[in-house]
Amino acid sequence: MIPADVFSGEQTLFTSAMFCDVLSIRHMMSFFPPCEDHAEWSTWFNVDHPGGRGDYEQLDAIRYYYRDRVCERPVAIEARTTDWVPASSTGETVHADPVLGFWCTNSEQPAGHNCSNYAVRFLCPQGRRPGISWAPWSDWSDCSAQCGQAGVQVRSRSCNSHAQHWEQQCNGPAVEGRACKGPACPDCTMQCIMGRVNAECDACMCEDHLLLGSVRSAGGLPAPGAAILRGGRYPKLLTVTDHNGHFRIPGVCPDGNGTLTVRLQKHTPLTTVVPHSTERTSLYMVKHPEHKARRLGQTAAFCCKASGSLEVQHYQWFHNGSLLDQRQLNYDSTLVLRNLQMDQAGEYYCRASNEGGSIKSKAATLTVIGTDTPPCHPKPKPHLIRLPHDCYQNASESFYYDVGKCPEATCVGKRDNGIRCKDSVLYCCGIAMMEERQISCQGYQLPIMVAKECGCRKCVDTKAIVRGRAMAADNGEPLRFGHIFMNGVRVSRTGYKGTFSIPVPPDTQRLVLTFVDHMQKLVNTTKVLPFNQKGGAVYHEVKLLRKKEPVTLSASEASTLRLGEVEDQDPIAYLQIPPNSFYRENGEVYTGNVKASVTFLDPRDISTATAAQSDLNFIDEEGDMLPLRTYGMFSLDFRDENEGNPLNAGEVKVLLDSAQVKIPEHQDSMKLWSLNPETSLWEEEGDLHIEKKQRGKREERTFLIGNMEIRERRLFNLDVAENRRCYMKVRAFRSERFMPSEQVEGVVMTLINMEPTAGYSSNPRAWGRFDSVITGPNGACLPAFCDDQKVDAYSAYVLANMGGEELEAVASSPKFNPNTIGVPQPYLGKLNYKRTDHDDPRVKKTGFSINVAKPSPNVADEGNGPIYAFDNLKECEEAPFSSGHFRFYRVEGDRYDYNTVPFNEDDPMSWTEDYLSWWPKPMEYRACYMKVKINAPHEINVRSRNMGGTHPRTVGQLYGIRDTRSIRDMDKTTVSAVCVEFKCSGMLYDQDRVDRTLVKIMAQGSCKRDSVTPMLQEYLVNHLPLAVNNDTSEFTMLAPLDPLGHNYGIYTVTDQDPRTAKEIALGRCFDGTSDGASRVMKTDEGVALTFTCSDKEVTRQSVFQALQNVPGPSVVSAAGEGRPNRRQRGSAGALRSSRRRSVQNSPARRGRPAR
C-alpha cells in the first residue's frame, strides 16, 4: 500500500498508485491524463458529510453502497467540493490515496474553519468488462459566456451496452464540462461615476435604483402615451407614460449626468437631466478590537471590521490618539504588533473610511508588563463585608470585616505563539489563595474565607442579559406578544405582561433592539439598551408612543399636518405635502385617499423623554460618535385607504417655527435627520434654511424649512449637534451608609438634559437629550450638556433603576448635608442640587436635578468632580472614591445575606471556585425560598442557617446565613409571613457529587413550630435521610433536590443571573403560586411552615436594629431617618435602637489555595 499524500494550499490533489507516469488535472469535471486510452473515470461519489470529525470518502464505504461501480484496484483519485470547487483550490488540508480513498479532518483546518463537503471519483483500468465500452465523445458545445465573462462547455457520450442498467456496465461519467471564456469585449472608453457600464457601452446602469416621474401637457393636464427615451447620439425608447401621465424606469443612475428626451404628439420634444440623488453610504462597525495583556517581547494583534452600503476603502490604526504608520506596520483591518516594548502599551482603535464617510471603533487597551513581573499584584485590596447582627467586632468597632479583593483586570496568563484577533483563552486577575478564619460571635464561631493572594487565572465565563418590560408611554399598557428584532432578525417576543429577556450576543458593543407592535397600536420603537459587559442581567423599561389616530388625506390635494402635542401652545413645526406626492412601494403613483398617522414626540412635554427612540447620536466625518440635541421627533405612517398598504411620499416640506428655538446659534446649525434602524444612529437628511412666511392676514412668521422624502425610513428628527458637553460622576450604594465596598453594579443611571425657561432655572421648558449608563465597580460617568458661561444654561434630571426598583437620591431638604450628597461646597451650591421632593414631600424621592455648570479650570474646588470636561472621560472613570460624586442608594430591605465565601451578586466575575460557594456554578444560578407563616402580634425576624449535609467535603460546614423580617398581613393584625432564602441542594462546583444542604429555619423570640405542610413533610420522609427535628423552636431539613412548588411552600428558580433568579423566586413566594408574581405578601397562600410566637416584648436587639444602628467605617457618615413598616417586597421597615452588643473577636486562621 502506498502511504497517503497530504495536500494543502495550491498543491494539486491527484494521486496515482501505478499505471500512469504523469497525470494532469483540469478544472471541474474535465480530467484527462495522457494515458486516457488505458483508463477511465468513475462517476462522482459522496457518502459522507463534514459534520463531526470531518469528511471521509473511504473506498470501502463507497463499495459498500455502490458495489460494482468502482473497480477493484483504482489507479488514481480526484476530489472536488459539492460546489464544483477542486480540492486544490479550497486551501484546506486534505489526504487522498486511490487504495484508501479521501479524507479531510476538521482538527487540521485553521481555527473556526471546518472541512468542505467533498465528492470523489476514481480512475480505473479499461477492459475489465470485455465487450462493453463507451461510444466516442461528442464535440464540445458552444461557450455560453458573454463578452468578458466565464461560462461552461459540455460534451457527452453514450454506452454501447444494451443492458437494462447500463450505468452498472459502463464506468465513468456520461456528461462532463469545462470552463470557457466568452469573446473579447469591444473597446469601451465610457466610465461611470455611479453604477456600471451597460452592454451597449452607451449608458450607466444602477440596478438598485428606480426613476419615477410624470409628464404634463402644455395645459397642465396628464400626458398619457408620452415616449421617454434615453438621450444621446442614438436615442433609445425606455418606456411610455400611463393613463395618468406617470412613468417608472428601473436601473437609471441618479448621478446628475444622464439625460432623458420626452416626445408627445403635437408637442415639441423636451430634454431633461436625470436629477442627482445622494445614496446613503453610512458605515457601521461590526467588529471591535479587544483588550490584550502581554509580556515584553511578545506579539499582540488587534482587529476591527466595518460594513456599509459601499465597501471600506482603507483602515487606519491609532495608538493613544496618534496615527500609526501604515507602511511601517503593514496593517489593514488587522494590526499586528511584534516584539512588544513598554512604550507600546495604551489604547488602540481603528478608523474605517470610504466615499460615504468614516467610523471609529471602540478603544482597546494593551497592557505590557516585564518578563519577570507578576501578571497580577499579589496583595489583595481591602474589601469590607457586613457581618451578622450578633458578630460585632471590637477591633474595628463595627459589623464590618476585611475579606480582601483582587483587582478586576486582564492579565497575561499562558499564551501560545498564535496571532489571533480574539485570545483563545481569557485570563483575569483573581483569588489564587484563600484563608479560612473563625470569628467569635454570640454563642458560636462564624467561618469566613479571606483572600490571601491574587494571581492570574482563567476568567469566569459569564453571559450578559437584558430583560425588562415594554409598555405604552401614556398609560403603561403592556406590549403584549410584540416582536423584538436585532439586526433585522426577530430574536424574541414580549410576554402577556410585556416582559422580555434577551441574551446579548458575544462581542456586542452596542445593543440595538427594535420593538414592533403587531396590533399597530404603538409606534415601532428602536432602542439602544446598555448592558453589563462583564455579564449579568440589566433591567430596562421600554416605553413606546401610542400611534395617533389616522386622518384622511386626498393624494391629489395639498395637505398640511401640525407637529405639536402641548395644549395652549403653538405647534413646533408643520409638514406640507404637495398634491400627487404619494406612490406605492413598487413605484406606482397613488391617487386615492390616504390614511395618515403622524405621531410627534414633543420635547416640551417632559414625560416623553423616556419614550424617545435610539440614543440621539450620529457619526461625524472623522468617525466619532457625537450627541444631538432634539427639537422633536416624528413618526410617519401613510397607507392607502382601501387595502392598508404602506405608501411612500416625495417632495415633503418640514417647517420648523424659529420661535421655538430659544438658543440663537441653534438656528444656523439645525438639520433634519432620519433614523437608521440597523445601527440606531441618526443620519443627516438635509439642512434647514430660514424663510419668512405669511400666517393669517397680518402675522408674518420665520420658519426653518427643509425638504424630505419618505421611503423606507419613517422616523425623523429635528436636531442640532451640541458641542458643549461634560460628564457627571454618579455612584449607587446598598444603603445610606455609603460604604465604598457597598457600591452596587448593574444600576441603570439615566440623565435627561433640560433646557430651563429663561430666568427660571427650576422650571425647564423642554428636554433636549437623554442618556443611560450602567454602573460598574467605580460608579458611572453620565454624558450631559453643560455650559461654562451661563450656570443654568442647561440643567439635568437624574434617575436610577435596578431590576425595576427605583433607587433613592440623597435628600436636599430639610437638611442639606454636602458630605452626605458627596459634593463639597461651594461647588455644590453652584450646581443647585435638589432632590425631587425638595419642594413637595409628597413627591417620590427617586431623582435629583442640578444645573450642569462646567467646572472652571481656575477654581481648584471644581477640578475634583462631580462634573468633568468632555475630554476628561478617563479621569472621571478612574476617579477615587474621595472625589466628588452624586449618590443613589437602595432602600434597605428587611433582609441580610452572609456567604462564607464572599461573592458580589452584581459582579459574576467575583465568583470563586470553592466547595463552600453559595452559588456552585456560574451562569446557572439557582435560588430557593421557603414561605414561613408567623402567628404573632408583631413582626418576627427569621434566620436560615445553611450547612453541608451529605457531601463529604462540606458536611457540617457553613455555606451562609440569611436573615429576613416577616411582613404583616394587610387584613390580619396578628398574622405575618416571610420568604426566607436557603441554599439549594445540588452539585457543588466540581460537578462531581450532590450535596443536600442541611437547612435550619429559626424564628427569633419565643416561637414554637406549629406545623409543616403535609406535602413537604411527605416528600422529606420519602427522600431519606431525614433530618432530626427534636427542637420545636426551629425546623431542620435536608433541602430537596427537586424544584417542588407552591404546594410544598418551596419556590425555586434557575437563571443566568443571580439577582434575576432571586427576584422571580421572591415574586412567586409572595404570591404563593408557582408561576405568578406579587409585591404584596399573601400570608395564607403556598405556606411551607408555620410558627406561633408569644406576644411578650422581645428584649433582645433585633437583627435589623443592630445593622441599621451601627455605622461602618465610611469616609462619609450618614444617619438616615426611621421609616414606617412597609408591606411590600423590597421595602424597609425596622425600628432603630441605640443599643449595641460587642463581642471580642479572636480569629483563627487556616490557609488554603483557591480552587
Side-chain angles (χ1 to χ4, degrees):
M1 182 181 296
I2 297 178
D5 298 326
V6 179
F7 300 90
S8 63
E10 297 300 323
Q11 293 176 322
T12 302
L13 176 59
F14 186 88
T15 66
S16 177
M18 60 180 187
F19 194 75
C20 292
D21 295 330
V22 180
L23 295 176
S24 62
I25 195 165
R26 300 180 186 177
H27 291 298
M28 304 299 285
M29 293 182 292
S30 181
F31 197 119
F32 290 96
C35 48
E36 63 182 75
D37 295 336
H38 305 288
E40 57 187 357
W41 288 102
S42 69
T43 55
W44 291 97
F45 303 103
N46 183 9
V47 298
D48 191 25
H49 295 277
R53 296 172 56 192
D55 192 7
Y56 292 83
E57 307 294 338
Q58 295 177 315
L59 184 57
D60 289 344
I62 294 172
R63 280 204 181 99
Y64 176 80
Y65 290 107
Y66 296 99
R67 300 181 184 274
D68 297 333
R69 294 181 64 177
V70 183
C71 58
E72 184 177 352
R73 293 183 59 84
V75 296
I77 183 174
E78 182 183 7
R80 61 162 174 81
T81 70
T82 53
D83 294 325
W84 293 92
V85 178
S88 60
S89 301
T90 62
E92 298 173 359
T93 300
V94 297
H95 308 262
D97 188 309
V99 178
L100 300 176
F102 170 92
W103 62 99
C104 173
T105 58
N106 293 332
S107 61
E108 295 179 334
Q109 311 311 319
H113 182 81
N114 288 338
C115 295
S116 302
N117 192 9
Y118 286 93
V120 298
R121 66 176 182 173
F122 297 89
L123 187 67
C124 292
Q126 285 186 351
R128 68 182 180 89
R129 293 187 177 92
I132 300 174
S133 63
W134 287 102
W137 286 101
S138 66
D139 293 333
W140 289 104
S141 65
D142 294 334
C143 186
S144 60
Q146 298 180 1
C147 81
Q149 298 180 348
V152 177
Q153 289 178 289
V154 178
R155 68 175 183 176
S156 62
R157 59 179 176 173
S158 59
C159 182
N160 292 328
S161 171
H162 297 289
Q164 183 178 1
H165 302 290
W166 65 266
E167 69 277 2
Q168 297 180 2
Q169 308 295 324
C170 289
N171 190 29
V175 179
E176 63 181 11
R178 67 180 182 184
C180 63
K181 293 183 179 180
C185 295
D187 294 336
C188 180
T189 59
M190 184 174 184
Q191 295 182 347
C192 293
I193 300 175
M194 187 181 297
R196 61 177 179 84
V197 179
N198 65 357
E200 293 80 11
C201 191
D202 61 356
C204 294
M205 301 296 294
C206 294
E207 298 175 357
D208 296 333
H209 286 265
L210 178 67
L211 178 66
L212 304 174
S214 61
V215 179
R216 297 284 188 270
S217 64
L221 299 176
I228 313 297
L229 301 94
R230 180 188 297 137
R233 186 175 180 181
Y234 303 102
K236 179 181 178 181
L237 178 65
L238 298 178
T239 188
V240 176
T241 58
D242 61 15
H243 64 284
N244 289 316
H246 301 303
F247 65 88
R248 57 194 301 267
I249 307 173
V252 177
C253 292
D255 54 8
N257 294 323
T259 59
L260 296 177
T261 299
V262 182
R263 292 181 179 175
L264 183 64
Q265 288 185 353
K266 300 181 181 180
H267 288 74
T268 303
L270 173 68
T271 299
T272 182
V273 177
V274 177
H276 178 75
S277 175
T278 58
E279 180 184 9
R280 292 188 178 95
T281 55
S282 57
L283 277 173
Y284 56 95
M285 198 64 66
V286 295
K287 179 189 286 185
H288 296 262
E290 300 193 1
H291 302 302
K292 299 289 176 71
R294 296 291 187 270
R295 290 194 181 274
L296 201 65
Q298 290 185 333
T299 300
F302 293 102
C303 305
C304 71
K305 183 180 179 182
S307 182
S309 54
L310 296 179
E311 290 187 4
V312 177
Q313 294 176 338
H314 60 272
Y315 288 91
Q316 294 173 304
W317 283 93
F318 295 80
H319 175 220
N320 293 335
S322 299
L323 178 64
L324 297 175
D325 190 339
Q326 196 274 338
R327 290 175 296 180
Q328 178 183 353
L329 295 173
N330 192 29
Y331 61 71
D332 46 19
S333 61
T334 300
L335 171 68
V336 179
L337 302 173
R338 306 178 190 274
N339 191 24
L340 286 170
Q341 303 300 310
M342 301 300 292
D343 60 356
Q344 290 180 285
E347 290 187 340
Y348 289 83
Y349 66 87
C350 80
R351 180 171 64 191
S353 305
N354 63 13
E355 295 177 358
S358 301
I359 189 170
K360 291 180 181 177
S361 71
K362 299 286 186 181
T365 301
L366 173 62
T367 303
V368 181
I369 63 174
T371 54
D372 299 324
T373 304
C376 298
H377 196 286
K379 184 178 180 181
K381 301 188 299 184
H383 182 69
L384 301 177
I385 67 167
R386 180 175 290 275
L387 299 176
H389 73 283
D390 46 6
C391 292
Y392 181 77
Q393 301 298 292
N394 284 337
S396 62
E397 296 185 348
S398 72
F399 284 103
Y400 287 88
Y401 196 85
D402 184 5
V403 297
K405 184 180 181 181
C406 294
E408 299 177 1
T410 303
C411 56
V412 177
K414 297 178 181 179
R415 304 287 180 193
D416 54 24
N417 295 323
I419 301 176
R420 302 183 181 91
C421 299
K422 182 181 180 66
D423 291 334
S424 56
V425 179
L426 299 179
Y427 290 90
C428 299
C429 291
I431 298 176
M433 179 75 71
M434 299 187 77
E435 182 178 72
E436 182 179 353
R437 299 178 184 176
Q438 296 289 331
I439 298 177
S440 296
C441 300
Q442 289 183 0
Y444 67 95
Q445 294 289 311
L446 180 71
I448 188 168
M449 302 299 294
V450 177
K452 185 178 180 182
E453 183 180 332
C454 299
C456 190
R457 53 194 311 182
K458 291 182 181 180
C459 299
V460 178
D461 290 331
T462 62
K463 182 173 288 188
I465 302 169
V466 292
R467 65 183 188 95
R469 184 167 173 259
M471 67 192 83
D474 54 355
N475 60 3
E477 176 189 356
L479 173 63
R480 293 190 172 100
F481 311 116
H483 302 297
I484 304 177
F485 289 84
M486 181 191 305
N487 299 324
V489 178
R490 194 180 77 178
V491 295
S492 185
R493 297 181 70 177
T494 60
Y496 180 77
K497 296 183 179 180
T499 56
F500 63 89
S501 180
I502 298 177
V504 180
D507 304 326
T508 300
Q509 295 290 330
R510 197 164 180 266
L511 182 63
V512 178
L513 298 177
T514 299
F515 295 80
V516 177
D517 179 14
H518 68 284
M519 300 298 292
Q520 296 294 315
K521 295 189 296 183
L522 305 175
V523 175
N524 296 347
T525 299
T526 299
K527 287 284 190 178
V528 180
L529 299 184
F531 62 95
N532 195 341
Q533 296 278 358
K534 296 191 301 182
V538 174
Y539 183 92
H540 293 278
E541 287 189 347
V542 177
K543 297 186 178 181
L544 295 81
L545 289 177
R546 189 174 300 278
K547 278 188 176 181
K548 287 293 182 183
E549 289 296 324
V551 297
T552 302
L553 307 178
S554 174
S556 59
E557 298 177 1
S559 302
T560 300
L561 301 173
R562 296 160 54 97
L563 301 180
E565 297 296 328
V566 180
E567 295 183 4
D568 302 325
Q569 292 193 36
D570 290 333
I572 286 182
Y574 299 87
L575 286 182
Q576 286 186 353
I577 307 174
N580 303 307
S581 295
F582 293 100
Y583 59 93
R584 300 185 185 275
E585 290 183 336
N586 64 0
E588 178 185 348
V589 176
Y590 180 75
T591 56
N593 287 337
V594 178
K595 289 292 186 180
S597 174
V598 180
T599 305
F600 184 67
L601 189 145
D602 197 327
R604 296 173 298 183
D605 182 357
I606 309 300
S607 64
T608 62
T610 55
Q613 302 216 30
S614 178
D615 55 358
L616 285 173
N617 287 323
F618 76 103
I619 303 296
D620 71 351
E621 296 179 354
E622 296 297 318
D624 291 306
M625 186 179 295
L626 299 177
L628 293 169
R629 188 263 192 240
T630 186
Y631 280 86
M633 301 180 188
F634 51 98
S635 173
L636 306 175
D637 186 17
F638 298 136
R639 298 180 180 271
D640 71 74
E641 187 178 40
N642 297 324
E643 300 178 1
N645 295 322
L647 299 172
N648 298 339
E651 304 177 9
V652 178
K653 282 189 175 182
V654 182
L655 293 83
L656 173 63
D657 189 349
S658 63
Q660 301 293 336
V661 184
K662 303 298 183 181
I663 302 177
E665 55 266 32
H666 284 182
Q667 295 191 9
D668 299 328
S669 55
M670 187 73 65
K671 295 180 184 294
L672 179 65
W673 307 76
S674 66
L675 182 67
N676 184 332
E678 294 182 3
T679 64
S680 194
L681 292 170
W682 294 93
E683 297 176 359
E684 185 178 336
E685 286 280 333
D687 296 322
L688 274 68
H689 63 276
I690 298 178
E691 187 175 327
K692 291 187 177 181
K693 294 279 186 178
Q694 193 75 26
R695 184 183 177 188
K697 296 182 178 180
R698 300 181 179 179
E699 184 180 6
E700 186 179 64
R701 303 288 294 272
T702 302
F703 291 92
L704 301 174
I705 301 177
N707 298 317
M708 59 187 292
E709 185 174 352
I710 302 166
R711 291 183 293 178
E712 69 278 1
R713 297 190 182 179
R714 300 301 174 105
L715 185 66
F716 299 89
N717 202 350
L718 297 164
D719 279 13
V720 293
E722 179 61 89
N723 56 10
R724 295 177 292 181
R725 295 166 287 161
C726 290
Y727 285 98
M728 179 192 302
K729 187 73 172 186
V730 188
R731 301 178 190 266
F733 297 86
R734 296 189 185 280
S735 68
E736 292 177 273
R737 290 179 292 270
F738 303 120
M739 294 280 296
S741 60
E742 291 189 344
Q743 293 189 75
V744 182
E745 298 183 46
V747 177
V748 181
M749 297 285 185
T750 301
L751 183 146
I752 303 173
N753 285 275
M754 316 295 286
E755 179 187 313
T757 303
Y760 301 93
S761 60
S762 62
N763 182 23
R765 65 168 298 274
W767 64 270
R769 178 179 173 79
F770 68 95
D771 284 281
S772 294
V773 179
I774 305 297
T775 57
N778 199 36
C781 293
L782 280 163
F785 293 150
C786 61
D787 194 272
D788 56 354
Q789 301 294 326
K790 194 175 180 182
V791 172
D792 62 350
Y794 278 114
S795 62
Y797 181 55
V798 186
L799 302 165
N801 186 291
M802 180 179 178
E805 171 192 350
E806 293 179 310
L807 275 62
E808 287 195 6
V810 179
S812 58
S813 68
K815 296 180 180 179
F816 189 80
N817 188 341
N819 290 332
T820 307
I821 296 171
V823 181
Q825 290 284 27
Y827 196 20
L828 182 61
K830 181 178 179 180
L831 297 176
N832 193 28
Y833 175 90
K834 290 184 179 180
R835 194 167 72 173
T836 45
D837 66 338
H838 183 84
D839 298 316
D840 186 352
R842 295 171 297 177
V843 177
K844 291 197 297 185
K845 309 168 184 179
T846 53
F848 68 84
S849 64
I850 65 165
N851 293 331
V852 192
K854 187 175 181 179
S856 173
N858 301 321
V859 181
D861 293 340
E862 299 182 9
N864 196 30
I867 309 298
Y868 295 83
F870 190 77
D871 297 333
N872 296 337
L873 173 60
K874 193 174 184 67
E875 181 182 343
C876 177
E877 292 176 336
E878 299 176 354
F881 188 81
S882 58
S883 298
H885 58 270
F886 293 108
R887 297 170 174 173
F888 283 91
Y889 63 94
R890 300 188 69 179
V891 177
E892 193 168 31
D894 292 343
R895 58 178 182 254
Y896 165 76
D897 298 352
Y898 171 79
N899 297 324
T900 300
V901 179
F903 173 68
N904 181 4
E905 293 177 358
D906 303 327
D907 179 15
M909 298 289 290
S910 66
W911 182 84
T912 304
E913 291 182 351
D914 196 279
Y915 283 102
L916 293 177
S917 293
W918 184 275
W919 307 96
K921 187 177 180 182
M923 295 179 62
E924 190 175 306
Y925 299 95
R926 193 179 184 201
C928 294
Y929 284 83
M930 172 185 285
K931 191 166 187 177
V932 180
K933 182 177 179 180
I934 306 292
N935 293 315
H938 48 268
E939 295 169 342
I940 297 295
N941 300 312
V942 179
R943 167 174 289 187
S944 76
R945 185 176 178 88
N946 304 267
M947 306 177 70
T950 59
H951 196 288
R953 298 294 297 267
T954 62
V955 62
Q957 299 184 63
L958 183 70
Y959 287 115
I961 294 173
R962 298 294 187 264
D963 288 330
T964 314
R965 187 178 179 89
S966 65
I967 299 175
R968 194 182 304 278
D969 191 291
M970 300 180 68
D971 300 319
K972 303 175 183 178
T973 58
T974 60
V975 176
S976 63
V978 60
C979 291
V980 60
E981 183 185 9
F982 63 90
K983 186 187 182 303
C984 307
S985 294
M987 291 285 188
L988 300 187
Y989 90 92
D990 60 2
Q991 300 297 299
D992 180 59
R993 187 169 178 174
V994 166
D995 182 32
R996 287 189 66 185
T997 310
L998 182 64
V999 180
K1000 281 192 175 185
I1001 305 296
M1002 300 168 283
Q1004 180 192 18
S1006 301
C1007 298
K1008 179 182 177 181
R1009 185 181 72 246
D1010 273 351
S1011 63
V1012 179
T1013 186
M1015 292 188 68
L1016 177 60
Q1017 185 66 43
E1018 181 181 358
Y1019 177 92
L1020 296 176
V1021 170
N1022 293 333
H1023 293 77
L1024 301 176
L1026 184 65
V1028 178
N1029 265 301
N1030 294 330
D1031 189 347
T1032 59
S1033 65
E1034 62 187 32
F1035 172 73
T1036 306
M1037 71 172 181
L1038 286 168
L1041 285 168
D1042 300 306
L1044 302 185
H1046 68 282
N1047 290 328
Y1048 302 81
I1050 302 294
Y1051 304 87
T1052 306
V1053 172
T1054 302
D1055 197 86
Q1056 296 173 341
D1057 175 68
R1059 289 192 320 210
T1060 303
K1062 294 173 74 169
E1063 182 74 17
I1064 297 173
L1066 268 176
R1068 294 176 180 177
C1069 183
F1070 271 56
D1071 194 51
T1073 62
S1074 296
D1075 55 0
S1078 175
R1079 289 184 176 271
V1080 177
M1081 178 66 75
K1082 300 178 181 178
T1083 58
D1084 293 326
E1085 303 291 338
V1087 174
L1089 183 63
T1090 302
F1091 283 95
T1092 297
C1093 304
S1094 64
D1095 58 356
K1096 71 175 183 178
E1097 184 180 355
V1098 178
T1099 57
R1100 189 176 65 174
Q1101 185 183 35
S1102 76
V1103 52
F1104 302 105
Q1105 290 168 349
L1107 290 178
Q1108 294 175 351
N1109 196 37
V1110 181
S1114 173
V1115 176
V1116 178
S1117 176
E1121 298 179 2
R1123 291 180 176 81
N1125 291 334
R1126 302 186 185 179
R1127 304 180 186 275
Q1128 293 188 350
R1129 173 162 54 96
S1131 300
L1135 298 176
R1136 300 179 182 266
S1137 170
S1138 61
R1139 294 186 57 190
R1140 294 185 182 177
R1141 294 187 181 271
S1142 61
V1143 178
Q1144 180 65 35
N1145 174 27
S1146 56
R1149 307 185 177 186
R1150 178 162 55 91
R1152 65 177 177 183
R1155 298 175 179 86

